[in-house]
Amino acid sequence: MISTVSRPAHKSASVPTRGMLRRRRLRWRRFGILLLAALMAAGLAAGLLLPHNRSAYATERFDRSTALTVTRLTGSDAASRGEARGMTGTWELDEHIDVDDLTLLHANNPTVRTLINGRDLDKTPAGWNPDHQTGDTGTGYPYGQCTWWAYTRRHELGLPVGSRFGDAKDWTASAIKLGYWVDSTPREGDIVVFQPGQQGADAVYGHVAVVEHVDADGGIRVSEANIGGQVGPFQRDITADIASKLEYIHY
């Protein structure tokens, strides 16, 4: 006698329950939110790193082989005379000091000292103190930003610069507050400040660069960073008409 054994029926494909569907929708919603947040963060980072109108800026690499140096800035003769006179920030008479030394203007910073006794003699503002506070406690600017480059380049030139001047647009006010000499006449080594929207500068942050050369007609060549989404540094020429409308932090 053949017995019949019942076999279990094959299970059909599982049908998602309402709870399962709800969990799937929740997972996809979370994924969408995370993706959107990542895209927004990337856009914000790009905006911070590229706050300029590409068409308003050149992308010529900064040529360090012909760049401004402390020697050229101060003039080798003037610099050597200052060093020979031993201007160390104290006034001590000895047999090595000439009578001419007594007429030299004092400044703790050797580059500033040479400039105010040479290139900028009788051009500094009345009552201006060359030994004002610099606000320099070490760089506080993110790598790659225009502010980072201006700070770095000024140190290369032996000139004072503040560590926390703020956004580029705030540099003029911050410098004045500390006693820096600021006006609208460009000189080699200056920090040039572009206010928001000025010559393609970011509408919120503005822009800063460093004056590498001043032409006879008042045009300038600057070095700058954070251009076209790249750190650089880069260099470009600015006409005299435009240069006359900008602000310059001397020292």
Side-chain angles (χ1 to χ4, degrees):
M1 179 177 179
I2 300 174
S3 62
T4 59
V5 178
S6 61
R7 294 182 176 86
H10 291 291
K11 292 184 178 179
S12 59
S14 61
V15 177
T17 65
R18 183 175 300 177
M20 293 173 61
L21 291 174
R22 187 181 300 114
R23 286 192 293 273
R24 287 181 183 178
R25 285 196 295 269
L26 183 58
R27 284 197 296 269
W28 278 107
R29 188 177 303 162
R30 288 175 178 171
F31 176 76
I33 292 173
L34 290 174
L35 181 60
L36 179 60
L39 291 174
M40 290 177 65
L44 178 60
L48 291 174
L49 194 59
L50 178 57
H52 308 303
N53 181 341
R54 178 190 293 267
S55 64
Y57 293 84
T59 55
E60 182 182 357
R61 295 289 302 190
F62 178 53
D63 187 354
R64 287 186 175 275
S65 67
T66 59
L68 183 66
T69 61
V70 175
T71 299
R72 201 183 90 199
L73 175 66
T74 57
S76 57
D77 290 339
S80 62
R81 286 198 300 273
E83 291 301 321
R85 287 170 174 170
M87 300 286 288
T88 59
T90 60
W91 293 89
E92 297 180 0
L93 295 178
D94 58 37
E95 65 273 18
H96 301 295
I97 294 182
D98 298 328
V99 175
D100 289 342
D101 289 328
L102 300 178
T103 65
L104 289 175
L105 300 174
H106 173 70
N108 289 327
N109 182 299
T111 305
V112 171
R113 182 168 62 240
T114 303
L115 289 173
I116 63 176
N117 286 287
R119 183 192 74 179
D120 300 329
L121 186 64
D122 299 328
K123 296 176 183 176
T124 57
W128 173 74
N129 177 16
D131 291 328
H132 60 78
Q133 296 181 33
T134 65
D136 189 356
T137 58
T139 183
Y141 308 108
Y143 172 78
Q145 293 287 345
C146 62
T147 50
W148 159 82
W149 171 250
Y151 179 90
T152 300
R153 184 68 176 127
R154 286 279 284 196
H155 270 260
E156 292 178 353
L157 295 173
L159 291 168
V161 58
S163 301
R164 288 168 177 78
F165 276 175
D167 294 329
K169 66 180 176 61
D170 301 320
W171 276 42
T172 299
S174 296
I176 291 174
K177 186 176 180 180
L178 286 172
Y180 282 77
W181 173 21
V182 179
D183 61 23
S184 58
T185 301
R187 291 177 173 81
E188 289 187 346
D190 287 353
I191 298 168
V192 54
V193 181
F194 300 78
Q195 289 302 313
Q198 193 173 28
Q199 293 303 310
D202 181 75
V204 176
Y205 301 106
H207 183 64
V208 287
V210 174
V211 177
E212 299 290 337
H213 178 71
V214 180
D215 297 327
D217 66 353
I220 61 176
R221 168 161 287 198
V222 303
S223 64
E224 56 194 346
N226 192 12
I227 304 301
Q230 302 180 58
V231 172
F234 300 98
Q235 63 186 27
R236 61 170 163 144
D237 295 323
I238 298 175
T239 65
D241 179 61
I242 294 174
S244 66
K245 297 178 176 63
L246 302 174
E247 300 167 311
Y248 301 91
I249 301 171
H250 303 304
Y251 43 74

